[in-house]
Amino acid sequence: MHSPPRARPTGNARQLRPRSIVIWSLVAVVGAVGWSVLALSRGEEVSAAWMVAAALGTYAIGYRFYAKFIQNRVLRADPTRATPAERMGDGHDYHPTDRRVLLGHHFAGISGAGPLVGPVLAAQMGYLPGTIWIIVGVIFAGAVQDMVVLFFSTRRDGKSLGQIAREEIGPVGGVAAVIAIFSIMIIILAVLALVVVNALAESPWGAFSVGMTIPIALFMGIYLRYLRPGKIAEVTLIGVALLLFAIVSGRWVANSGLADAFTLDPRTLVIALVLYGFAASVMPVWLLLVPRDYLSTFMKIGTIALLAVAIVVTLPNLQMEAVTDFATNGDGPVFAGSLFPFVFITIACGALSGFHSLISSGTTPKMIQKETQVRTIGYGAMLMESSVAVMAITAACVLDPGIYFAMNAPPAVIGDTVQAASDTITSWGFTVTPDQLASAAEAVEEESLLSRTGGAPTLALGVAVVLAEIIGGDTMMSFWYHFAIMFEALFILTAIDAGTRVGRFVLQDALASIHPRLGKLRDNTWWPGILLISGIVVALWGYLLWVGVNDPLGGINTLYPIFGISNQLLGAVALAICTVLLVKSGRLKYVWVTLLPLTWVSVVTLTASWQKVFSGDPAVGFLARRDQYQEGIDNDQLLAGAQNMDDMRTIVNTATLDAVLSAALALLVLIVFADALRVCVKAVRHPGSVRLRETPHVPSRIIAPSGLIATKEERAELVSAGLGPGGGIPEQSTGPRQEVSER
């Protein structure tokens, strides 16, 4: 076995100049000061601006140095090698895409409920534990996973993670990985959709505004494909203008006779989301997926940037303690369990998310122009998502803790009236009056904010509180609240449509490998297969979504723990596969890059799995909860959260399902680990027997920058080739497959 040849140096591989050394030293100092203030402050008020400083300083250092080290030294990305988008371009799934558009698509695809919901829920343990995991975790785990998986999938024709596992690990570990990956994906998609349902239910403003993004995206796709090809800036301005109009008009609709038509109950929203997921997964990527993700990215990044600026300008203080008593006693009202391991599975997507590995080995490698863009798109997009998580935990922690707990604790804990909620929360040591709870709901034009679980409403209220300080004051609170609701729903919907498409890829590959007669299912141009497999995927996650919506204890409280566990288990599987590929490709001295985060997330997640299944505390363990409510049924006694015996039986069935799923997924992951270890040992002992399934090197004709902003050398190369800033193939710059530049 020979090590792959080193790629020629790119324009980004330059030594730091004295000016750069000074700049990066200042960046490091800003980040270090931010961390010092957050970690050492006890009792005194702390400005939320220090969270922004700590995050941005750390992100900049990690992207500039660690990500570049991984791309150039560990992966040895080759700019001369043609990617699957160039070699296999079909205009449907494989399509070379401008890196700026693809960054938006990838960011939108990976950014689901995790960076919004997880940090908000974890805020019950204080601002410090969650913030540390979000920032440190993304630098050394989450962004590394996304980038490395994207690279290895690009080297293998954009194959799914499951297919890579089968080919590179073997049939036993590969099959276990495929089953685990697909099962976890279904759980993740169901919980993502559940957050959308909780955010949009009974909200005509939100339902109308979010619904309008679909025709806007379709218009953008047709505009860019046929009417004005290549005019990215032009279509962006039109799309953003229409998006802002949709937000404003949502308020008009909510106050008009059309309000009833857009006031949807949770069950109706389930049906609507299932239909949307099916349609989005079968349409060509250029028609809905890419333009919608690109459009929503502007709103996402714009909102997060605006929130960061507002925090720096208004300097709100963090109201939540650095570390609360719930971090140690494990009886928090939002979710039960101690800081270790539950903070690390509650905050999933903001620090590490297995779901991202499915996007990085699903849609994105089929559209990337150059291997050297994996740092910008893989690592960079994950840093963007982590910044969302930082803003989410910040927004939650600037709220009055009493209001925070009133919004995130279920009715079974705090009751269903403002008086009952006030009495319960005050008994925990967080004072809040019924008038405060009523005033908070009135300020954002909602009937009630009690038990608005799922994190999205809490984040929306935090965003509204901060932004209203600089734009509009109290009169704009309702606008900013519903603006944030739409912002969050867009985040999640873009993950649902991309995730459903990737689920189709995974199931197509899995079924096609069973028998030669099923091989046609892998053909992405065979419509009967596309429609059938997409229907199966949406039916499965739609069923779990329906279970969550009808759960008496609150779907988020029941399903989110299993979401966090399964998501992190998938991350462990992805890192294990990447570790195998590093060993097999002769990069043994760099294997620590994926092995260290793999070890940490495995210990954390398997510990959480064990506790969620076998803990004797009914608030933590699924089996203990099942036994508790089954005993209540046997004694003809209603327990907390249940209004009748049907509710009691539903809780028993859901707890049983959660326990079985958690145990089965953990077992499958352990099988993958064992087989991966076998392959690694064999590769080290007998290097000559190892076979890599990389696609042979084909010279690339595309010329495109590696980073978001082209270097001086890259600009000169584009000019000499007669290409715009997006790049393309010289002398063939007119067709939709060849031209990806902005003319």
Side-chain angles (χ1 to χ4, degrees):
M1 179 180 64
H2 300 286
S3 298
R6 289 187 179 273
R8 62 175 174 84
T10 67
N12 289 328
R14 297 176 293 179
Q15 296 295 321
L16 285 177
R17 298 175 181 176
R19 180 183 176 186
S20 296
I21 293 175
V22 172
I23 293 174
W24 287 108
S25 297
L26 290 175
V27 171
V29 168
V30 170
V33 172
W35 279 117
S36 299
V37 172
L38 293 176
L40 300 178
S41 297
R42 291 293 183 271
E44 62 270 27
E45 293 184 343
V46 178
S47 172
W50 291 116
M51 295 182 75
V52 177
L56 295 182
T58 308
Y59 293 154
I61 296 294
Y63 181 78
R64 172 60 181 82
F65 296 100
Y66 192 51
K68 181 171 285 191
F69 162 77
I70 294 173
Q71 176 172 281
N72 294 342
R73 296 290 186 87
V74 180
L75 301 179
R76 303 168 194 168
D78 185 356
T80 69
R81 189 184 190 115
T83 64
E86 180 180 357
R87 291 184 291 99
M88 305 169 65
D90 58 12
H92 190 269
D93 290 317
Y94 293 86
H95 181 68
T97 305
D98 186 304
R99 70 202 182 283
R100 298 163 296 182
V101 176
L102 185 57
L103 175 65
H105 158 73
H106 183 76
F107 171 64
I110 65 174
S111 300
L116 302 173
V117 177
V120 171
L121 301 181
Q124 79 162 358
M125 294 189 174
Y127 65 78
L128 189 57
T131 301
I132 293 175
W133 171 233
I134 290 169
I135 299 174
V136 176
V138 73
I139 295 296
F140 296 105
V144 172
Q145 173 208 253
D146 292 14
M147 176 182 178
V148 177
V149 169
L150 176 58
F151 174 82
F152 282 128
S153 179
T154 301
R155 281 280 174 99
R156 289 161 177 77
D157 291 339
K159 290 179 180 176
S160 68
L161 190 66
Q163 192 171 357
I164 294 174
R166 287 201 310 272
E167 294 179 353
E168 300 289 356
I169 295 180
V172 177
V175 170
V178 170
I179 296 174
I181 289 168
F182 186 73
S183 302
I184 290 169
M185 173 176 289
I186 296 301
I187 295 170
I188 291 173
L189 289 172
V191 176
L192 292 176
L194 183 57
V195 176
V196 175
V197 170
N198 286 350
L200 298 183
E202 313 300 335
S203 176
W205 189 340
F208 174 81
S209 297
V210 171
M212 283 298 296
T213 64
I214 298 174
I216 292 173
L218 293 172
F219 167 75
M220 289 177 64
I222 295 172
Y223 190 95
L224 199 57
R225 179 81 170 185
Y226 297 112
L227 303 180
R228 302 276 286 173
K231 298 296 185 180
I232 296 172
E234 186 176 301
V235 77
T236 297
L237 291 174
I238 296 173
V240 170
L242 291 174
L243 183 63
L244 293 175
F245 178 75
I247 299 170
V248 174
S249 58
R251 186 173 195 173
W252 303 337
V253 170
N255 294 322
S256 71
L258 295 173
D260 289 343
F262 290 95
T263 303
L264 307 177
D265 63 80
R267 293 177 177 83
T268 302
L269 283 169
V270 169
I271 297 172
L273 285 175
V274 167
L275 294 175
Y276 167 77
F278 176 79
S281 69
V282 301
M283 289 182 179
V285 291
W286 61 265
L287 180 58
L288 176 62
L289 195 65
V290 172
R292 191 178 189 282
D293 291 355
Y294 181 63
L295 173 66
S296 65
T297 296
F298 278 91
M299 183 175 179
K300 295 172 183 178
I301 294 300
T303 301
I304 292 302
L306 179 61
L307 182 59
V309 171
I311 289 173
V312 173
V313 172
T314 62
L315 300 177
N317 290 324
L318 299 170
Q319 303 295 318
M320 192 68 73
E321 301 170 6
V323 182
T324 67
D325 292 340
F326 298 131
T328 53
N329 60 31
D331 59 358
V334 179
F335 64 91
S338 57
L339 189 152
F340 179 88
F342 289 105
V343 157
F344 305 100
I345 65 164
T346 301
I347 299 178
C349 302
L352 170 69
S353 172
F355 175 75
H356 296 185
S357 67
L358 305 180
I359 305 299
S360 293
S361 63
T363 57
T364 305
K366 296 178 174 66
M367 294 186 282
I368 194 169
Q369 294 171 302
K370 312 291 287 185
E371 282 188 2
T372 47
Q373 293 174 350
V374 297
R375 171 173 167 248
T376 299
I377 295 168
Y379 202 97
M382 182 55 191
L383 291 185
M384 291 161 61
E385 172 163 308
S386 183
S387 69
V388 174
V390 170
M391 292 299 102
I393 196 170
T394 302
C397 291
V398 299
L399 291 177
D400 182 283
I403 293 178
Y404 166 83
F405 285 111
M407 295 183 69
N408 288 281
V413 175
I414 61 172
D416 55 6
T417 66
V418 291
Q419 185 63 56
S422 173
D423 294 342
T424 303
I425 294 168
T426 300
S427 71
W428 299 336
F430 303 100
T431 303
V432 63
T433 67
D435 287 342
Q436 285 179 291
L437 295 174
S439 297
E442 184 180 352
V444 295
E445 298 183 21
E446 291 286 340
E447 290 187 8
S448 173
L449 291 178
L450 292 183
S451 300
R452 296 296 299 271
T453 57
T458 303
L459 175 57
L461 183 61
V463 170
V465 168
V466 174
L467 294 184
E469 284 290 318
I470 60 172
I471 304 177
D474 293 342
T475 59
M476 287 287 287
M477 279 284 291
S478 60
F479 173 83
W480 288 122
Y481 176 84
H482 289 92
F483 173 87
I485 287 290
M486 179 180 176
F487 151 78
E488 295 169 283
L490 278 177
F491 248 102
I492 300 163
L493 284 178
T494 50
I496 290 174
D497 51 33
T500 302
R501 182 179 290 266
V502 174
R504 168 166 67 84
F505 294 151
V506 172
L507 191 55
Q508 281 177 302
D509 289 339
L511 294 177
S513 64
I514 294 175
H515 193 279
R517 292 185 178 179
L518 297 176
K520 193 171 180 61
L521 288 174
R522 193 175 281 129
D523 184 357
N524 287 320
T525 63
W526 188 50
W527 279 101
I530 292 174
L531 297 175
L532 173 64
I533 302 303
S534 296
I536 293 174
V537 172
V538 296
L540 289 173
W541 66 253
Y543 166 75
L544 280 182
L545 173 60
W546 187 264
V547 170
V549 164
N550 291 281
D551 180 39
L553 295 180
I556 286 293
N557 301 80
T558 299
L559 291 182
Y560 198 84
I562 194 173
F563 162 79
I565 289 172
S566 60
N567 191 38
Q568 303 304 70
L569 283 175
L570 181 53
V573 169
L575 288 167
I577 294 170
C578 290
T579 301
V580 169
L581 293 174
L582 287 176
V583 173
K584 291 179 69 174
S585 59
R587 300 173 171 95
L588 188 59
K589 69 177 181 179
Y590 295 122
V591 75
W592 57 267
V593 170
T594 55
L595 185 59
L596 290 180
L598 166 62
T599 303
W600 168 254
V601 73
S602 299
V603 170
V604 166
T605 312
L606 291 174
T607 300
S609 297
W610 179 270
Q611 292 189 17
K612 290 302 295 183
V613 175
F614 297 110
S615 173
D617 182 356
V620 177
F622 293 132
L623 293 180
R625 182 187 303 165
R626 180 202 63 183
D627 293 342
Q628 180 188 40
Y629 279 82
Q630 183 60 54
E631 184 178 352
I633 293 173
D634 296 339
N635 296 329
D636 198 26
Q637 178 184 5
L638 291 178
L639 301 182
Q643 297 182 0
N644 50 53
M645 281 299 162
D646 286 339
D647 285 352
M648 295 283 288
R649 284 186 282 271
T650 298
I651 293 171
V652 169
N653 293 336
T654 302
T656 304
L657 176 64
D658 288 346
V660 171
L661 285 174
S662 297
L665 291 174
L667 180 61
L668 287 170
V669 171
L670 288 174
I671 293 173
V672 175
F673 288 172
D675 216 16
L677 179 61
R678 175 189 63 81
V679 173
C680 288
V681 170
K682 179 181 178 182
V684 173
R685 290 182 175 178
H686 309 288
S689 65
V690 171
R691 179 188 172 191
L692 276 175
R693 269 76 171 183
E694 283 189 356
T695 303
H697 184 286
V698 174
S700 174
R701 295 183 297 157
I702 290 179
I703 297 175
S706 298
L708 199 60
I709 301 175
T711 64
K712 181 179 179 181
E713 294 84 353
E714 289 170 339
R715 288 195 298 270
E717 188 177 18
L718 290 170
V719 170
S720 65
L723 297 170
I729 299 176
E731 301 178 357
Q732 296 185 23
S733 58
T734 56
R737 284 178 53 189
Q738 289 79 23
E739 172 58 34
V740 292
S741 65
E742 179 182 0
R743 292 192 295 263

